[in-house]
Amino acid sequence: MNVISCSINALKGLYDISGVEVGQHFYWQIGGFQVHAQVLITSWVVIAILLCSALVAVRNPQTIPTAGQNFFEYVLEFIRDVSKTQIGEEYGPWVPFIGTLFLFIFVSNWSGALLPWKIIQLPHGELAAPTNDINTTVALALLTSVAYFYAGLSKKGLGYFSKYIQPTPILLPINILEDFTKPLSLSFRLFGNILADELVVLVLVSLVPLVVPIPVMFLGLFTSGIQALIFATLAAAYIGESMEGHH
């Protein structure tokens, strides 16, 4: 009986850790603004991980790369390939922006899946991946939208806006609506997939033994990486489109 009781308590603890609190937030007041504290905390952790990784990468570069340097160079080459494929030959200045989006989303998604955030108790809400908050995904999408317009205006000047009346002025409302739906699409696609993955794991933990949801959690790691790649690829494609012309 003691063994059964201990097993039940252990499973109950794992269930509590895997729970998802929806609609509850821990707020801070900063300069008259009310912000989601848990998102800031986890975002700072993600940024610290990225900064430490960057410091390690550039600390002692070798002519003949070591294993760690090979990894960082592979990541950089991968980001450059994504940028070049979507933007074209003028991809160079946009590699830092696309790389920042990809790495922030990738590390955020993985931190939500691998780090035991829920062990840390907050007065309200809970710690989770920054991308699990709609405000974060909207901010990333708006940054992409600003970069999209900046790329077009810097390349073509005010002539950039002529695309809205091509191939016919009748399409002006539709072309304007298209530019507004791009950040919405990016934001809800990323937020929806991350939240759906957590909810699926929660439901499986509630219905079946823990050994079944574990493979789903590993699948979630894969899909989290894919979501980061999709977001970065679409952002680069939008920037490339604004620089080349209306399609």
Side-chain angles (χ1 to χ4, degrees):
M1 292 298 293
N2 289 334
V3 175
I4 295 176
S5 177
C6 290
S7 300
I8 293 174
N9 290 333
L11 288 175
K12 185 177 183 298
L14 289 171
Y15 173 79
D16 293 337
I17 291 176
S18 66
V20 178
E21 295 185 31
V22 179
Q24 299 185 24
H25 298 287
F26 178 43
Y27 293 106
W28 281 346
Q29 294 289 338
I30 300 179
F33 294 95
Q34 194 175 61
V35 298
H36 292 178
Q38 73 270 25
V39 178
L40 289 180
I41 294 171
T42 52
S43 296
W44 291 339
V45 172
V46 170
I47 293 171
I49 293 173
L50 292 175
L51 288 177
C52 291
S53 300
L55 291 175
V56 170
V58 301
R59 183 181 56 181
N60 187 26
Q62 302 293 328
T63 304
I64 301 176
T66 58
Q69 186 175 337
N70 271 328
F71 172 75
F72 288 113
E73 290 184 0
Y74 172 78
V75 173
L76 176 60
E77 190 65 27
F78 175 77
I79 295 171
R80 291 180 61 187
D81 286 342
V82 172
S83 302
K84 185 175 182 179
T85 301
Q86 301 299 326
I87 298 176
E89 294 301 324
E90 300 181 44
Y91 73 97
W94 294 102
V95 171
F97 178 74
I98 301 301
T100 300
L101 286 178
F102 173 76
L103 292 175
F104 180 80
I105 296 172
F106 184 89
V107 176
S108 294
N109 293 348
W110 274 49
S111 70
L114 296 178
L115 299 182
W117 293 115
K118 296 176 180 64
I119 292 178
I120 304 174
Q121 298 295 321
L122 297 177
H124 301 284
E126 62 184 16
L127 296 176
T131 46
N132 196 30
D133 191 290
I134 186 66
N135 297 286
T136 303
T137 60
V138 168
L140 294 173
L142 289 177
L143 281 175
T144 302
S145 186
V146 170
Y148 171 85
F149 284 107
Y150 172 79
L153 290 171
S154 62
K155 178 72 178 293
K156 303 175 182 179
L158 294 178
Y160 167 76
F161 294 106
S162 64
K163 74 166 193 169
Y164 290 109
I165 57 174
Q166 295 177 359
T168 172
I170 298 176
L171 296 178
L172 174 63
I174 297 177
N175 290 333
I176 294 176
L177 183 62
E178 179 187 2
D179 276 349
F180 279 99
T181 56
K182 284 177 180 178
L184 285 175
S185 172
L186 284 173
S187 174
F188 285 108
R189 179 185 289 110
L190 178 60
F191 172 73
N193 281 280
I194 299 304
L195 183 60
D197 180 64
E198 293 200 9
L199 292 176
V200 166
V201 173
L202 172 62
V203 171
L204 287 176
V205 170
S206 304
L207 298 178
V208 297
L210 191 63
V211 292
V212 176
I214 286 178
V216 180
M217 294 179 183
F218 285 110
L219 179 62
L221 293 177
F222 174 74
T223 56
S224 296
I226 294 298
Q227 287 303 316
L229 175 60
I230 291 174
F231 194 102
T233 302
L234 288 176
Y238 293 159
I239 292 171
E241 178 184 335
S242 69
M243 296 174 68
E244 292 177 4
H246 188 67
H247 299 287

